[in-house]
Amino acid sequence: MKEPILIVGGGLGGLTAALALAQRGWPVRVLEGAPEFGAIGYGIQFGPNVFHALDRIGVSAAVIEKADSPPAVLMIDALTGEEITRVPTGRPAFRERFKHPYIIIHRIDLHNVLLEACRRDPLVTLEADMMVTRFTDHGDRVTVMTEDGRSFEGAALVGADGIRSHTRAQLLADGDPLPNGFMGFRTIVPMGDVTADVQRDIVALWGGPGFHIVHYPLRHGTLFNIVAVFRRSTHSERGDVAAYRAELEHAYRNAHPTMKALLAMLDLGRRQAVGDRDPIRHWHKGRAVLLGDAAHPTLQSLAQGACMAIEDGVCLAELVDAAAGDFEQAFRRFVAARHLRTARVTLESRYIWDVYHADGIARDVYHQMLRERSEADVVQCLGWLYDGFAAPGTA
Ligand SMILES: Cc1cc2nc3c(=O)[nH]c(=O)nc-3n(C[C@H](O)[C@H](O)[C@H](O)COP(=O)(O)OP(=O)(O)OC[C@H]3O[C@@H](n4cnc5c(N)ncnc54)[C@H](O)[C@@H]3O)c2cc1C
């Protein structure tokens, strides 16, 4: 029996890697810091590229069953309510080009598909309540230590512990992620409670100077997911809902009335700072490697962070298997294969973020550029991303 590969973090990236490795005969032990395996319960969007990875671990059909495919992804002017551009996700030309659908899904549902598949695989051991604080690379194996003093040995270490990764802090010691000055609130309400006059079957992004709102349906139209993000103007105390409301009212003061109706539906109980990191060329050393947000966190404007984590998980497993136990070689090939694609996601996401939130003449220019593009142009621009990814030598 081989020693297990230790995976720190049981999010979408960690579970994908665990399943993909186990399916290729590699025992894995997933150490999750939270008291239970689970996801924060909001919606998530996936471009068709995610299916190139999900197909390779055999879970596409289970995911499709839980997901919806919106007829379009629209960008709307947050001041006037006019459509600026659209990704024609429901058009036959889109499906023919990318072979797979664009989907929206409850994150819990996707997480459960992966979790159940991991639970069914005897080579996956899942351990919750294991907050990893340190690891040691001995050259021929690794050891990780948890907050409460336990330790685990394994053949190699995969840090899939998210944007505030402890594994990265030890491996690269390159500081904290970069906050970009924006803050977000996420809410899910029953579809029947939606009071705003909005199109409910699409993904809509309302972009305005310093703020945006994204909304879309979940669970076959029974739920409605809203994300509101804005540039912070004050520094309200964490948990001060009245101060959050005042901040929101100020940030969205010029927004279209429909956006204000959406804001009224927000749950202000939990806020989240927005940020990413500058892309890097190396995120591995010896028998340790990072994946997903631990390696290349991105702004959510391209809706690709989790897609990249899932692609990483499958790619890593395929290269570990191809290297037949030479982890250093596998990790080197993995990072070489993934760094440009993930860096491009990070950098394009920053650019799109600026487009969404532009003010003044920049806003007019961006809107003009977007309006000039035909649907065929939009599809063409997304080819590099939505065509999917295969690890070198494994297509
Ligand atoms: C508002 C918002 C909207 C988004 N929308 C989309 C979208 O539509 N599409 C998309 O593709 N992406 C989207 N993303 C990005 C996506 O959420 C992340 O990129 C994705 O969750 C990264 O997956 P991961 O597995 O790398 O990390 P995570 O999901 O962060 O998982 C990390 C796991 O590690 C655990 N952990 C952390 N530290 C430790 C430790 N020390 N020891 C053990 N366990 C630990 C955590 O508890 C967690 O379970 C969005 C992000 C935000 C903020």
Side-chain angles (χ1 to χ4, degrees):
M1 182 70 179
K2 296 179 213 160
E3 261 201 304
I5 296 168
L6 304 178
I7 299 181
V8 181
L12 296 175
L15 290 183
T16 301
L19 186 59
L21 282 162
Q23 287 175 344
R24 286 159 185 78
W26 295 86
V28 289
R29 172 170 257 151
V30 186
L31 303 167
E32 166 57 45
E36 285 174 27
F37 282 81
I40 296 181
Y42 299 106
I44 192 158
Q45 311 172 52
F46 287 100
N49 53 311
V50 80
F51 288 103
H52 291 262
L54 297 180
D55 277 354
R56 294 166 94 99
I57 50 172
V59 297
S60 290
V63 171
I64 294 264
E65 199 185 304
K66 304 278 180 197
D68 293 288
S69 185
V73 176
L74 255 58
M75 180 177 169
I76 300 168
D77 185 324
L79 304 184
T80 65
E82 284 164 347
E83 179 179 328
I84 296 164
T85 187
R86 66 168 57 205
V87 184
T89 50
R91 291 247 202 265
F94 184 91
R95 288 296 292 271
E96 278 156 26
R97 172 72 170 78
F98 297 121
K99 314 281 187 286
H100 298 284
Y102 188 101
I103 59 158
I104 40 189
I105 186 169
H106 204 305
R107 189 186 280 251
I108 289 175
D109 294 341
L110 174 60
H111 203 265
N112 281 342
V113 167
L114 294 171
L115 200 52
E116 281 160 23
C118 283
R119 286 196 172 118
R120 281 194 300 270
D121 196 311
L123 291 183
V124 180
T125 307
L126 298 168
E127 314 252 18
D129 215 2
M130 295 288 178
M131 188 55 83
V132 172
T133 49
R134 285 200 66 71
F135 70 90
T136 307
D137 184 343
H138 305 282
D140 59 347
R141 74 208 138 83
V142 294
T143 312
V144 303
M145 278 67 74
T146 63
E147 208 171 46
D148 58 2
R150 282 174 282 190
S151 70
F152 296 90
E153 285 224 337
L157 174 71
V158 179
D161 45 350
I163 186 166
R164 267 167 276 283
S165 165
H166 278 66
T167 317
R168 178 176 181 135
Q170 191 182 336
L171 194 72
L172 305 178
D174 61 349
D176 293 329
L178 308 166
N180 74 348
F182 283 74
M183 174 153 99
F185 290 99
R186 296 193 266 186
T187 299
I188 291 186
V189 293
M191 188 59 89
D193 292 355
V194 176
T195 47
D197 180 21
V198 289
Q199 196 179 332
R200 297 176 187 198
D201 58 344
I202 56 164
V203 175
L205 178 126
W206 300 68
F211 59 86
H212 79 255
I213 288 186
V214 175
H215 60 76
Y216 49 87
L218 290 173
R219 290 196 176 147
H220 312 316
T222 57
L223 298 175
F224 190 70
N225 187 75
I226 312 169
V227 185
V229 178
F230 59 97
R231 191 180 288 119
R232 301 188 59 169
S233 51
T234 62
H235 288 269
S236 48
E237 291 296 314
R238 185 172 281 274
D240 183 346
V241 171
Y244 292 167
R245 180 63 67 192
E247 243 184 312
L248 272 178
E249 278 168 12
H250 177 73
Y252 291 80
R253 63 195 176 284
N254 297 322
H256 190 268
T258 304
M259 285 188 84
K260 292 187 179 169
L262 289 165
L263 290 178
M265 293 159 52
L266 282 184
D267 166 11
L268 301 186
R270 188 188 148 94
R271 68 176 182 179
Q272 194 171 25
V274 179
D276 65 3
R277 284 180 182 273
D278 290 330
I280 52 174
R281 288 184 194 279
H282 304 288
W283 59 75
H284 64 104
K285 206 180 282 176
R287 287 184 172 241
V289 69
L290 307 174
L291 65 70
D293 275 11
H296 41 69
T298 175
L299 302 178
Q300 59 261 35
S301 24
L302 259 182
Q304 279 287 330
C307 269
M308 290 300 113
I310 290 170
E311 286 185 0
D312 276 358
V314 175
C315 174
L316 180 71
E318 290 180 345
L319 293 177
V320 164
D321 199 39
D326 183 343
F327 290 102
E328 290 204 41
Q329 186 209 87
F331 295 167
R332 194 170 49 249
R333 287 187 68 205
F334 164 68
V335 175
R338 295 293 296 161
H339 81 278
L340 281 184
R341 179 167 172 84
T342 54
R344 184 164 174 185
V345 166
T346 302
L347 298 180
E348 286 211 12
S349 296
R350 285 183 184 171
Y351 171 71
I352 294 170
W353 191 272
D354 290 344
V355 172
Y356 289 166
H357 300 115
D359 199 359
I361 195 159
R363 177 180 139 84
D364 298 344
V365 169
Y366 287 141
H367 286 193
Q368 185 186 51
M369 286 163 60
L370 290 170
R371 285 196 170 102
E372 278 170 9
R373 298 189 318 170
S374 66
E375 285 190 0
D377 293 337
V378 172
V379 169
Q380 181 62 27
C381 283
L382 289 164
W384 71 273
L385 184 58
Y386 288 175
D387 278 339
F389 175 86
T394 60

